Amino acid sequence: MTVIDAPETGRFQSLSSRITLWYAAVIAVTFGAFILVATGGVERYAESVATGEMAANGATFDKILELEAQQMRSSAEVLAADFGFREAFAIGDQPTIASALDSLRERAGAPLAIMIPLQGDIISTGVSLVPSEHDALWDAVDRRVDRGVFQVGGRFYNAVAAPIRIPDLAGWLVLARPLDAAAMREMAKLAPEGMSASIRASGTLSNGISLAQASGKAPLVADIRGQPTLFWSRSLKSFDAQSRPRLVLRYALGPALDQYAPIKYLLIALSGLGLLVSTAIGAFVARGITRPIAALDQAARAISQGSRDKVAIQSSDEVGRLAASFNIMVDSIAEREERIIHIALHDELTGLPNRKLFAEQLEFALARRTDRERVVVMYFDLDNFKAVNDTLGHPVGDALLKAVADRLARTMTGALISRQGGDEFAILIDQVEPGANLALLADKVTAVFGEPFRLAGSQALEISSSIGIAVAPGDGDCPDDLIKNADLALYRAKNEGRNRSCFFEQAMDLEARKRHQMEIDMREAVRQQQFHLNYQPLFSLEKNRIIGFEALIRWRHPTRGLISPAEFIPLAEDTGMIVPISEWVVNEACRQATHWPDDVRIAVNLSPALLKNAGLPLMIMQALHATGLPPRRLELEVTESLFIDNVERTLAMLNSLRECGIRIALDDFGTGYSSLNYLRSFPFDKIKIDKSFVNDLAADHSARAIIGAITALAGALGMETIAEGVEDSEQLEALRSQGCNNIQGYFFSRPVDIAQVHDMITNMRYERGERQPTITQMTKIRA
Ligand code: C2E
Ligand code: CA
Ligand code: CA
């Protein structure tokens, strides 16, 4: 299991940056809103503070007006109580009163002093009053107003009225101080910075704001030259009944807000920092989310390139579950792949590794082989497996192969056993120590076949095997060479009679090359007609004359000269070339024989390989038909090996040929064992006693007895006998005395060409006219 790093420039880069971007945007909006709300709050707070201040200032202003009024009133009361003044008032002494008023003005610091007698005219100093103002004064004192704001000549005054009693109320003294710009500035000194005051009774204040608008319960907020400014007014106690003076406070919040500016900047700075930090966190989180997805992406791409690595599951969330599902998918891919690979690399029937896997493993074993170690390849097949298949059926054949595979697997532990196809198996044993006894390894395989195989639906089967062994490094160091050489050794084991093991030798390789070349040459020979026939006479001892000729093939190779059939016939059998060659032989032999006397037969050798060919009877009948040779003049020589496989079918084929009148001879009789038994299974016309017995006649007395037994048995079964390889007169006499009917061999004649055959036949006819040819004359003919 691997943890795959997210690719640095992977395709999820954009996803993670998108997530980060969205995250940052949300955070920025949040912080922005927060700043807005916070600064709005600050403004409202500043406003409420300012409102409080304005209310307080308004009250202070009232208080100041009241204190001022008290002060003026006490000055006025002092004058009103003054004896001199009262006297002057009583007598209406105008100049005294005026001077008293002037001095009062001075004392009280009030520029306006007015006397209002209950009877008589108003006397005013410091200002001249218009009649309406007189009326207003009368009205005020009638209503007993003792103080208030009084408007004179469009200006506002803080006025007080004090009664004059002598002792009864006789009039009023009114003192007034102006509430002008200078006075208001003095007042504003008490107020916070930015606040100013004025007194208005009507009109607009600033920027079109009316006095009425600024007369609500709360201050009016207006934007004056880019600055929030509060306007608020409160009514002032009015002296006269007509005017409604109001104190107007104006408060520019700029300076007040300015003190909160650092808070705002701090907020912005903190928000900026917060945005940065949270964007970083967002990026981190986004990476955290996309990283495992990117890892999955990478792992998925790795899978397409053959990797079967899983991804680490680092969480239990959706991504974690996706990773888990991914791993399950990897498992099932791997499993399916394994199954496919298994099928591709194993034999279906036995479950053993197949040829391909064997070669692969061999290559691997050779690659890791140390200098001292050896690698052994054993190739083997079951002897006569085809017979099992043919006689017992394929299901039994399959069961046998499986049973062999099972036994091998149990016995050859630690070795790689493979089925190469058909009944061929191969075993690989590696890391074999130099001193190891390799023959013992072969014995182990042989031992597998020691016990008969008991398979369902058949009797116990005795099976043997032939084994070829090649050992690396001596016999090759690549899989192909070792396998080829083990196969060559197997070929040798088979040729040497099966049921044995053979180690590869270099000579086998050479032989194989030669065989290969010969195979190529043989095809050429068929095309180029490089074959011809020699004929060896068959001599009857009873009739004392030639009764036939055996056709023996000869190959005149363009470069190698004459090649013996003993050399090329087995190869022709292996390669299938035997079929066209035999067809030629049969046709040529029959064609020649038609020119011979009617009582002279032609004998043709039939290879065992040919007897498996179902087309054989047709081929022979066609040859007879084409040449016009009567079937009784054709003799087919077959060997005991026909009894090895497919006996019934072969015998049936021979029977059908025999029924056509063709004679069948058993060649090389006595070389296989239990030969005598064969004689009972088929009514051969003739038995050819193998030349090995004839050879042994001189030295071995038992050979004579055996020949006697054969001729007796053959006679009893109604078969003729002929001895081959007769080379001298002693052999001839011995054979005659043992009851042999015919002879063939160098003593009478070597195989000869067709011209000599014609000579012999002419000679025979001539002799026949005079007298019968004798054994002594045979020698002459031979010479
Ligand atoms: P075979 O059928 O046993 O043929 C007899 C062999 O013994 C011949 O060898 C012959 O030349 C040899 N021979 C004959 N008399 C004597 C003798 O006195 N002493 C000794 N030592 N040998 C003698 P050849 O011609 O070399 O043939 C060898 C084998 O090749 C034959 O053995 C036969 O099995 C096979 N063969 C020959 N021609 C044909 C053919 O046309 N078709 C097939 N299928 N096989 C053939
Ligand atoms: Ca023969
Ligand atoms: Ca023979």
Side-chain angles (χ1 to χ4, degrees), residues 422-493:
D423 62 331
E424 258 184 38
F425 292 84
I427 295 178
L428 164 66
I429 305 162
D430 69 341
Q431 296 176 311
V432 177
E433 292 297 316
N437 186 343
L438 301 181
L440 281 181
L441 289 175
D443 290 348
K444 253 176 135 179
V445 177
T446 312
V448 163
F449 298 91
E451 286 278 304
F453 288 87
R454 284 169 220 288
L455 307 170
S458 103
Q459 75 272 40
L461 289 174
E462 298 262 9
I463 298 287
S464 63
S465 73
S466 305
I467 307 167
I469 304 162
V471 183
D475 301 343
D477 50 12
C478 72
D480 284 353
D481 283 359
L482 276 175
I483 290 173
K484 186 198 78 191
N485 290 343
D487 201 27
L488 285 178
L490 169 62
Y491 180 85
R492 167 68 63 88

Coordinates of all heavy atoms in Angstrom, one line a residue, residues 422-493:
G422 N -0.3 -32.4 -25.3 CA -0.4 -33.8 -25.5 C 0.0 -34.6 -24.3 O -0.4 -34.3 -23.2
D423 N 0.9 -35.6 -24.5 CA 1.3 -36.4 -23.3 C 2.7 -35.9 -22.9 O 3.4 -36.7 -22.2 CB 1.3 -37.9 -23.6 CG 2.3 -38.2 -24.8 OD1 2.5 -37.3 -25.6 OD2 2.8 -39.3 -24.8
E424 N 3.1 -34.7 -23.3 CA 4.5 -34.3 -23.0 C 4.5 -33.4 -21.7 O 3.7 -32.5 -21.6 CB 5.0 -33.4 -24.1 CG 6.0 -34.2 -25.0 CD 6.6 -33.4 -26.1 OE1 6.9 -32.2 -25.8 OE2 6.8 -33.9 -27.1
F425 N 5.4 -33.7 -20.8 CA 5.5 -32.9 -19.6 C 7.0 -32.4 -19.5 O 7.9 -33.0 -20.2 CB 5.3 -33.8 -18.4 CG 3.8 -34.2 -18.2 CD1 3.4 -35.3 -18.9 CD2 3.0 -33.5 -17.4 CE1 2.0 -35.7 -18.8 CE2 1.6 -33.9 -17.3 CZ 1.2 -35.0 -18.0
A426 N 7.2 -31.3 -18.8 CA 8.5 -30.8 -18.6 C 8.7 -30.5 -17.1 O 7.7 -30.1 -16.4 CB 8.8 -29.6 -19.4
I427 N 9.8 -30.8 -16.6 CA 10.1 -30.5 -15.2 C 11.3 -29.6 -15.1 O 12.3 -29.8 -15.8 CB 10.3 -31.8 -14.4 CG1 9.0 -32.6 -14.4 CG2 10.8 -31.5 -12.9 CD1 9.2 -33.9 -13.7
L428 N 11.2 -28.5 -14.2 CA 12.3 -27.6 -14.1 C 12.8 -27.7 -12.6 O 12.0 -27.6 -11.7 CB 11.8 -26.2 -14.3 CG 12.8 -25.1 -13.8 CD1 14.1 -25.1 -14.6 CD2 12.1 -23.7 -14.0
I429 N 14.1 -28.0 -12.4 CA 14.6 -28.1 -11.1 C 15.8 -27.1 -11.1 O 16.7 -27.3 -11.9 CB 15.1 -29.5 -10.7 CG1 13.9 -30.4 -10.9 CG2 15.6 -29.5 -9.3 CD1 14.4 -31.9 -10.9
D430 N 15.7 -26.1 -10.3 CA 16.9 -25.1 -10.3 C 17.6 -25.2 -8.9 O 17.2 -25.9 -8.0 CB 16.4 -23.7 -10.7 CG 15.5 -23.1 -9.6 OD1 15.0 -23.8 -8.7 OD2 15.4 -21.8 -9.6
Q431 N 18.6 -24.4 -8.9 CA 19.5 -24.3 -7.7 C 20.0 -25.7 -7.3 O 20.1 -26.1 -6.1 CB 18.8 -23.7 -6.5 CG 18.4 -22.2 -6.8 CD 17.6 -21.6 -5.7 OE1 16.6 -22.1 -5.3 NE2 18.0 -20.4 -5.3
V432 N 20.4 -26.5 -8.3 CA 20.9 -27.8 -8.1 C 22.4 -27.7 -7.8 O 23.2 -27.1 -8.6 CB 20.7 -28.7 -9.3 CG1 21.3 -30.1 -9.1 CG2 19.2 -28.8 -9.6
E433 N 22.8 -28.3 -6.7 CA 24.3 -28.2 -6.3 C 25.1 -29.0 -7.3 O 24.6 -30.0 -7.8 CB 24.4 -28.7 -4.9 CG 23.8 -27.9 -3.8 CD 24.4 -26.5 -3.7 OE1 25.6 -26.3 -3.8 OE2 23.6 -25.5 -3.7
P434 N 26.4 -28.6 -7.5 CA 27.2 -29.3 -8.4 C 27.3 -30.8 -8.2 O 27.4 -31.6 -9.1 CB 28.6 -28.6 -8.3 CG 28.3 -27.4 -7.5 CD 27.1 -27.5 -6.8
G435 N 27.3 -31.2 -6.9 CA 27.6 -32.6 -6.6 C 26.3 -33.5 -6.8 O 26.4 -34.7 -6.6
A436 N 25.2 -32.9 -7.0 CA 23.9 -33.6 -7.0 C 23.9 -34.7 -8.0 O 24.4 -34.6 -9.1 CB 22.7 -32.6 -7.2
N437 N 23.2 -35.8 -7.7 CA 23.1 -37.0 -8.6 C 21.9 -36.8 -9.4 O 20.8 -37.0 -9.0 CB 23.0 -38.3 -7.7 CG 23.1 -39.5 -8.6 OD1 22.9 -39.4 -9.8 ND2 23.3 -40.6 -8.0
L438 N 22.2 -36.4 -10.7 CA 21.0 -36.1 -11.6 C 20.3 -37.3 -12.0 O 19.1 -37.3 -12.3 CB 21.6 -35.4 -12.8 CG 22.3 -34.0 -12.5 CD1 22.8 -33.4 -13.8 CD2 21.4 -33.1 -11.8
A439 N 21.0 -38.5 -12.1 CA 20.3 -39.7 -12.4 C 19.2 -40.0 -11.4 O 18.1 -40.5 -11.8 CB 21.3 -40.8 -12.5
L440 N 19.4 -39.6 -10.2 CA 18.4 -39.9 -9.1 C 17.1 -39.1 -9.4 O 16.0 -39.5 -9.2 CB 18.9 -39.5 -7.8 CG 19.9 -40.5 -7.1 CD1 20.3 -40.0 -5.7 CD2 19.2 -41.8 -7.0
L441 N 17.3 -37.9 -10.0 CA 16.2 -37.0 -10.3 C 15.3 -37.7 -11.4 O 14.1 -37.8 -11.3 CB 16.6 -35.7 -10.8 CG 17.2 -34.7 -9.8 CD1 17.7 -33.5 -10.5 CD2 16.2 -34.3 -8.8
A442 N 16.0 -38.3 -12.4 CA 15.3 -39.0 -13.4 C 14.6 -40.2 -12.8 O 13.5 -40.6 -13.2 CB 16.3 -39.4 -14.5
D443 N 15.3 -40.9 -11.9 CA 14.7 -42.1 -11.3 C 13.4 -41.7 -10.5 O 12.4 -42.5 -10.5 CB 15.7 -42.7 -10.3 CG 16.8 -43.4 -11.0 OD1 16.7 -43.5 -12.2 OD2 17.8 -43.7 -10.3
K444 N 13.4 -40.5 -10.0 CA 12.2 -40.1 -9.3 C 11.0 -40.0 -10.2 O 9.9 -40.4 -9.8 CB 12.4 -38.7 -8.7 CG 12.6 -38.6 -7.2 CD 13.0 -37.2 -6.7 CE 12.2 -36.8 -5.5 NZ 12.5 -35.5 -5.1
V445 N 11.3 -39.5 -11.4 CA 10.2 -39.4 -12.4 C 9.8 -40.8 -12.8 O 8.6 -41.1 -12.9 CB 10.6 -38.6 -13.6 CG1 9.6 -38.6 -14.7 CG2 11.0 -37.2 -13.2
T446 N 10.8 -41.7 -13.0 CA 10.5 -43.1 -13.4 C 9.6 -43.7 -12.4 O 8.7 -44.5 -12.7 CB 11.8 -43.8 -13.7 OG1 12.6 -43.0 -14.5 CG2 11.5 -45.2 -14.3
A447 N 9.9 -43.4 -11.1 CA 9.2 -44.1 -10.0 C 7.7 -43.7 -10.0 O 6.9 -44.5 -9.5 CB 9.9 -43.7 -8.7
V448 N 7.4 -42.5 -10.5 CA 6.0 -42.1 -10.6 C 5.2 -43.1 -11.4 O 4.0 -43.3 -11.2 CB 6.0 -40.7 -11.2 CG1 4.6 -40.4 -11.7 CG2 6.4 -39.6 -10.2
F449 N 5.9 -43.8 -12.4 CA 5.2 -44.7 -13.2 C 5.4 -46.2 -12.7 O 5.0 -47.1 -13.4 CB 5.7 -44.6 -14.7 CG 5.5 -43.2 -15.2 CD1 6.4 -42.2 -15.1 CD2 4.2 -43.0 -15.8 CE1 6.1 -40.9 -15.6 CE2 4.0 -41.7 -16.3 CZ 4.9 -40.7 -16.2
G450 N 6.0 -46.3 -11.6 CA 6.3 -47.6 -11.0 C 5.0 -48.4 -10.7 O 4.9 -49.6 -11.0
E451 N 4.0 -47.7 -10.2 CA 2.8 -48.3 -9.9 C 1.8 -48.2 -11.0 O 1.8 -47.1 -11.7 CB 2.2 -47.6 -8.7 CG 2.8 -47.9 -7.3 CD 2.3 -49.1 -6.7 OE1 1.1 -49.2 -6.6 OE2 3.2 -50.1 -6.5
P452 N 1.0 -49.1 -11.3 CA 0.0 -49.0 -12.4 C -1.0 -47.9 -12.0 O -1.2 -47.6 -10.8 CB -0.7 -50.3 -12.5 CG -0.2 -51.2 -11.4 CD 1.0 -50.5 -10.7
F453 N -1.6 -47.3 -13.0 CA -2.6 -46.2 -12.8 C -4.0 -46.9 -12.8 O -4.4 -47.6 -13.7 CB -2.6 -45.2 -13.8 CG -1.3 -44.3 -13.7 CD1 -0.1 -44.7 -14.3 CD2 -1.4 -43.1 -13.0 CE1 1.0 -43.9 -14.2 CE2 -0.3 -42.3 -12.9 CZ 0.9 -42.7 -13.4
R454 N -4.7 -46.7 -11.6 CA -6.1 -47.2 -11.6 C -7.0 -46.1 -11.8 O -7.2 -45.2 -10.9 CB -6.3 -47.9 -10.2 CG -5.6 -49.2 -10.1 CD -5.6 -49.8 -8.7 NE -4.3 -50.4 -8.4 CZ -3.9 -51.6 -8.9 NH1 -4.7 -52.2 -9.8 NH2 -2.7 -52.1 -8.7
L455 N -7.7 -46.1 -13.0 CA -8.6 -45.0 -13.3 C -10.0 -45.5 -13.3 O -10.2 -46.6 -13.7 CB -8.2 -44.4 -14.7 CG -6.7 -44.0 -14.8 CD1 -6.4 -43.7 -16.3 CD2 -6.4 -42.8 -13.9
A456 N -10.9 -44.6 -13.0 CA -12.3 -45.0 -13.0 C -12.6 -45.4 -14.5 O -12.2 -44.7 -15.4 CB -13.2 -43.8 -12.6
G457 N -13.4 -46.5 -14.6 CA -13.8 -46.9 -16.0 C -12.8 -47.6 -16.8 O -12.9 -47.7 -18.0
S458 N -11.7 -48.0 -16.2 CA -10.7 -48.8 -17.0 C -9.9 -49.7 -16.0 O -9.9 -49.5 -14.8 CB -9.8 -47.9 -17.7 OG -8.5 -47.8 -17.1
Q459 N -9.3 -50.7 -16.6 CA -8.5 -51.6 -15.8 C -7.2 -50.9 -15.5 O -6.9 -49.8 -16.0 CB -8.2 -52.9 -16.6 CG -7.2 -52.8 -17.7 CD -7.8 -52.4 -19.0 OE1 -8.7 -51.6 -19.1 NE2 -7.3 -53.0 -20.1
A460 N -6.4 -51.4 -14.5 CA -5.1 -50.8 -14.2 C -4.2 -50.7 -15.4 O -4.1 -51.6 -16.2 CB -4.4 -51.6 -13.1
L461 N -3.6 -49.5 -15.5 CA -2.8 -49.2 -16.7 C -1.3 -49.2 -16.3 O -0.9 -48.4 -15.4 CB -3.2 -47.9 -17.3 CG -4.5 -47.8 -18.0 CD1 -4.8 -46.3 -18.5 CD2 -4.5 -48.7 -19.2
E462 N -0.6 -50.0 -17.0 CA 0.9 -50.0 -16.8 C 1.5 -49.0 -17.8 O 1.3 -49.2 -19.0 CB 1.5 -51.4 -17.1 CG 1.0 -52.5 -16.2 CD 1.9 -52.8 -15.1 OE1 2.9 -52.0 -14.9 OE2 1.7 -53.8 -14.4
I463 N 2.0 -47.9 -17.3 CA 2.5 -46.9 -18.2 C 4.0 -46.7 -17.9 O 4.4 -46.7 -16.8 CB 1.7 -45.6 -18.0 CG1 0.3 -45.7 -18.3 CG2 2.3 -44.4 -18.8 CD1 -0.1 -45.8 -19.7
S464 N 4.8 -46.5 -19.0 CA 6.2 -46.1 -18.7 C 6.4 -44.8 -19.4 O 5.5 -44.3 -20.1 CB 7.1 -47.2 -19.3 OG 6.9 -47.2 -20.7
S465 N 7.6 -44.2 -19.2 CA 7.8 -42.9 -19.8 C 9.3 -42.9 -20.3 O 10.1 -43.6 -19.8 CB 7.6 -41.8 -18.8 OG 8.7 -41.8 -17.9
S466 N 9.5 -42.0 -21.3 CA 10.8 -41.8 -21.7 C 11.2 -40.4 -21.4 O 10.4 -39.5 -21.5 CB 10.9 -41.9 -23.3 OG 10.4 -43.2 -23.6
I467 N 12.4 -40.2 -20.9 CA 12.8 -38.9 -20.3 C 14.1 -38.4 -21.0 O 15.0 -39.1 -21.2 CB 13.1 -39.0 -18.8 CG1 11.9 -39.7 -18.1 CG2 13.4 -37.7 -18.2 CD1 12.3 -40.2 -16.7
G468 N 14.1 -37.1 -21.4 CA 15.3 -36.5 -21.9 C 15.7 -35.4 -20.9 O 14.8 -34.7 -20.4
I469 N 17.0 -35.3 -20.7 CA 17.4 -34.4 -19.6 C 18.5 -33.4 -20.2 O 19.4 -33.9 -20.9 CB 18.0 -35.1 -18.4 CG1 17.0 -36.1 -17.9 CG2 18.5 -34.1 -17.3 CD1 17.6 -37.2 -17.0
A470 N 18.3 -32.2 -20.0 CA 19.4 -31.2 -20.3 C 19.7 -30.4 -19.1 O 18.8 -30.1 -18.3 CB 18.9 -30.3 -21.5
V471 N 21.0 -30.0 -19.0 CA 21.4 -29.4 -17.7 C 22.2 -28.1 -18.1 O 23.1 -28.2 -18.9 CB 22.3 -30.3 -16.9 CG1 22.7 -29.6 -15.6 CG2 21.6 -31.6 -16.6
A472 N 21.7 -27.0 -17.5 CA 22.5 -25.7 -17.7 C 23.6 -25.7 -16.7 O 23.4 -26.2 -15.6 CB 21.6 -24.5 -17.6
P473 N 24.7 -25.2 -16.9 CA 25.1 -24.4 -18.1 C 25.6 -25.2 -19.3 O 25.6 -24.8 -20.4 CB 26.2 -23.5 -17.7 CG 26.9 -24.2 -16.6 CD 25.8 -25.1 -15.9
G474 N 26.0 -26.5 -19.0 CA 26.7 -27.3 -20.1 C 25.9 -27.5 -21.3 O 26.4 -27.4 -22.5
D475 N 24.6 -27.7 -21.2 CA 23.7 -28.0 -22.4 C 23.0 -26.8 -22.9 O 22.0 -27.0 -23.6 CB 22.7 -29.1 -22.0 CG 23.4 -30.4 -21.5 OD1 24.6 -30.5 -21.7 OD2 22.8 -31.2 -20.8
G476 N 23.4 -25.7 -22.5 CA 22.7 -24.5 -23.0 C 22.5 -23.5 -21.9 O 22.4 -23.9 -20.7
D477 N 22.4 -22.2 -22.2 CA 22.2 -21.3 -21.1 C 21.0 -20.4 -21.5 O 20.8 -19.4 -20.8 CB 23.4 -20.5 -20.8 CG 24.0 -19.9 -22.1 OD1 23.4 -19.9 -23.1 OD2 25.2 -19.4 -22.0
C478 N 20.2 -20.7 -22.5 CA 19.0 -20.0 -22.6 C 17.8 -21.0 -22.7 O 18.0 -22.2 -23.0 CB 19.0 -19.2 -23.9 SG 18.9 -20.1 -25.4
P479 N 16.6 -20.6 -22.4 CA 15.5 -21.5 -22.3 C 15.3 -22.3 -23.6 O 15.1 -23.5 -23.5 CB 14.3 -20.6 -22.0 CG 14.8 -19.4 -21.4 CD 16.2 -19.2 -21.9
D480 N 15.4 -21.6 -24.7 CA 15.1 -22.3 -26.0 C 16.1 -23.5 -26.2 O 15.7 -24.6 -26.6 CB 15.3 -21.3 -27.2 CG 14.0 -20.4 -27.2 OD1 13.1 -20.7 -26.5 OD2 14.1 -19.5 -28.1
D481 N 17.4 -23.2 -25.9 CA 18.4 -24.3 -26.1 C 18.1 -25.4 -25.2 O 18.2 -26.6 -25.6 CB 19.8 -23.7 -25.9 CG 20.3 -22.9 -27.1 OD1 19.5 -22.8 -28.0 OD2 21.4 -22.3 -27.0
L482 N 17.9 -25.1 -23.9 CA 17.7 -26.2 -22.9 C 16.5 -27.0 -23.3 O 16.6 -28.3 -23.2 CB 17.6 -25.6 -21.5 CG 18.9 -25.3 -20.8 CD1 18.5 -24.6 -19.5 CD2 19.7 -26.5 -20.6
I483 N 15.4 -26.4 -23.6 CA 14.2 -27.1 -24.0 C 14.4 -28.0 -25.2 O 14.1 -29.1 -25.3 CB 13.0 -26.1 -24.1 CG1 12.6 -25.5 -22.8 CG2 11.8 -26.8 -24.8 CD1 11.6 -24.4 -22.9
K484 N 15.1 -27.4 -26.2 CA 15.3 -28.1 -27.5 C 16.2 -29.3 -27.2 O 16.0 -30.4 -27.7 CB 16.0 -27.2 -28.5 CG 16.2 -27.8 -29.8 CD 17.2 -27.0 -30.6 CE 18.6 -27.4 -30.2 NZ 19.7 -26.5 -30.7
N485 N 17.2 -29.1 -26.3 CA 18.2 -30.2 -26.1 C 17.6 -31.3 -25.2 O 17.9 -32.5 -25.4 CB 19.5 -29.6 -25.4 CG 20.3 -28.8 -26.4 OD1 20.0 -28.9 -27.7 ND2 21.2 -28.0 -26.0
A486 N 16.7 -30.9 -24.3 CA 16.0 -31.9 -23.5 C 15.1 -32.7 -24.4 O 15.0 -34.0 -24.2 CB 15.2 -31.3 -22.4
D487 N 14.5 -32.1 -25.4 CA 13.6 -32.7 -26.3 C 14.5 -33.7 -27.2 O 14.0 -34.8 -27.5 CB 13.0 -31.7 -27.2 CG 11.7 -32.2 -27.8 OD1 11.1 -33.1 -27.2 OD2 11.3 -31.7 -28.9
L488 N 15.7 -33.3 -27.6 CA 16.5 -34.2 -28.4 C 16.9 -35.4 -27.6 O 16.9 -36.5 -28.1 CB 17.8 -33.4 -28.8 CG 17.6 -32.4 -29.9 CD1 19.0 -31.7 -30.2 CD2 17.1 -33.1 -31.2
A489 N 17.2 -35.2 -26.3 CA 17.5 -36.3 -25.4 C 16.3 -37.3 -25.3 O 16.5 -38.5 -25.3 CB 18.0 -35.8 -24.1
L490 N 15.1 -36.7 -25.3 CA 13.9 -37.5 -25.2 C 13.8 -38.3 -26.5 O 13.4 -39.5 -26.4 CB 12.7 -36.6 -25.0 CG 11.3 -37.2 -25.1 CD1 11.1 -38.3 -24.1 CD2 10.2 -36.1 -25.0
Y491 N 14.0 -37.7 -27.6 CA 14.0 -38.3 -28.9 C 14.9 -39.6 -28.9 O 14.5 -40.6 -29.3 CB 14.4 -37.3 -29.9 CG 14.4 -37.8 -31.4 CD1 13.2 -37.9 -32.1 CD2 15.5 -38.3 -32.0 CE1 13.2 -38.3 -33.4 CE2 15.5 -38.8 -33.3 CZ 14.3 -38.8 -34.0 OH 14.3 -39.2 -35.3
R492 N 16.1 -39.3 -28.3 CA 17.1 -40.4 -28.2 C 16.5 -41.5 -27.3 O 16.6 -42.7 -27.7 CB 18.4 -39.9 -27.7 CG 19.4 -40.9 -27.3 CD 19.9 -41.8 -28.4 NE 20.7 -41.0 -29.4 CZ 22.0 -40.7 -29.3 NH1 22.7 -41.2 -28.3 NH2 22.6 -40.0 -30.2
A493 N 16.0 -41.2 -26.2 CA 15.4 -42.2 -25.3 C 14.4 -43.0 -25.9 O 14.3 -44.2 -25.8 CB 14.9 -41.5 -24.0

